[in-house]
Amino acid sequence: MAVHEHSHRTPGLHLSFRRNRPGSVTTTAAASELDAHTVSARVLAVLRILTGFVFLWAFLDKVFGLGYATASGKGWIDGGSPTKGFLSSVAAGPLQSTFHAWAGAAWADWLFMLGLAGIGAAVTAGVALRPAAVAGTAMMALMWLAEWPPAKHLADGSPSMSSNPFADYHVIYAVALVAVAAVGAGATWGLGRWWACLPVVRDHTWLR
């Protein structure tokens, strides 16, 4: 005699109770953390590339006179001075006379242009971010002193039109340089990993 058990489940209604596996919550959290890390790395990479391009563009514009900050035909390649116009127009701050003396000097032109090119290329490529951050911060500090945002009035008494006495764009660029160098932002969308593997860089970590 065979015994048949008939199912009493209601047709069309199926309830499923699944027990979570012990590691599922941990796995999900790890995946979320990984995704957040990837997004952060990419955001910092974008910040790095844009900041580097600011310096590169300034270099190219001043070399070739692209008609933006530097008028066409007034580029360095045409015999113009990258520092004369800016430094000779300094009209406020404790280093006003010093900047006037530097304006148009060959050594000042070369240092300024090499700085723009070196910082721009390194930061855009994601290599030598620490030296670039130091050099870029020094350059931004000098330019901040030249514009002297704390001044409400220029030397001739006219309004300085300063938008912020302390945190102007020079400070923002310097902070961006330090930030991308501190977190090693060259590893994402850059040559940072390759650069870090070079023997000279492995032996001198300050070059990273």
Side-chain angles (χ1 to χ4, degrees), residues 11-39:
L13 180 61
H14 301 282
L15 300 179
S16 176
F17 299 94
R18 295 182 180 179
R19 184 176 299 173
N20 290 331
R21 289 178 296 178
S24 60
V25 175
T26 304
T27 303
T28 303
S32 299
E33 184 177 350
L34 179 61
D35 289 342
H37 176 75
T38 300
V39 170

Side-chain angles (χ1 to χ4, degrees), residues 68-86:
Y68 290 88
T70 306
S72 180
K74 300 292 185 180
W76 199 23
I77 198 172
D78 301 309
S81 170
T83 63
K84 187 173 183 179
F86 175 65

Side-chain angles (χ1 to χ4, degrees), residues 104-117:
W107 65 267
D109 288 344
W110 276 96
L111 279 179
F112 182 53
M113 295 302 284
L114 288 175
L116 288 178

Side-chain angles (χ1 to χ4, degrees), residues 5 35 56 60 92 102 106 125-126 136 144 147 163 195 202:
E5 294 183 0
D35 289 342
L56 271 184
L60 295 172
W102 291 356
W144 187 88
E147 293 195 8
S163 59
W195 178 260
R202 286 201 307 264

Side-chain angles (χ1 to χ4, degrees), residues 127 191-204 208:
V127 301
L191 302 176
R193 296 184 189 278
W194 167 80
W195 178 260
C197 291
L198 295 178
V200 65
V201 178
R202 286 201 307 264
D203 295 338
H204 303 86
R208 293 186 179 179

Side-chain angles (χ1 to χ4, degrees), residues 10-208:
T10 303
L13 180 61
H14 301 282
L15 300 179
S16 176
F17 299 94
R18 295 182 180 179
R19 184 176 299 173
N20 290 331
R21 289 178 296 178
S24 60
V25 175
T26 304
T27 303
T28 303
S32 299
E33 184 177 350
L34 179 61
D35 289 342
H37 176 75
T38 300
V39 170
S40 298
R42 290 176 179 176
V43 169
L44 288 168
V46 171
L47 175 63
R48 188 200 83 234
I49 294 169
L50 290 176
T51 303
F53 186 67
V54 167
F55 288 84
L56 271 184
W57 176 261
F59 171 77
L60 295 172
D61 183 61
K62 293 180 183 303
V63 169
F64 300 106
L66 299 179
Y68 290 88
T70 306
S72 180
K74 300 292 185 180
W76 199 23
I77 198 172
D78 301 309
S81 170
T83 63
K84 187 173 183 179
F86 175 65
L87 293 182
S88 61
S89 64
V90 173
L95 299 179
Q96 182 178 348
S97 59
T98 301
F99 287 126
H100 288 174
W102 291 356
W107 65 267
D109 288 344
W110 276 96
L111 279 179
F112 182 53
M113 295 302 284
L114 288 175
L116 288 178
I119 296 166
V123 175
T124 303
V127 301
L129 294 180
R130 293 178 183 178
V134 172
T137 299
M139 179 182 289
M140 291 299 101
L142 286 171
M143 294 181 71
W144 187 88
L145 288 169
E147 293 195 8
W148 198 244
K152 292 183 178 179
H153 299 88
L154 302 179
D156 61 2
S158 61
S160 68
M161 304 302 292
S162 175
S163 59
N164 190 304
F166 303 107
D168 75 337
Y169 66 97
H170 298 105
V171 176
I172 302 302
Y173 289 154
V175 171
L177 288 170
V178 172
V180 298
V183 300
T188 301
W189 296 341
L191 302 176
R193 296 184 189 278
W194 167 80
W195 178 260
C197 291
L198 295 178
V200 65
V201 178
R202 286 201 307 264
D203 295 338
H204 303 86
T205 56
W206 61 271
L207 290 173
R208 293 186 179 179

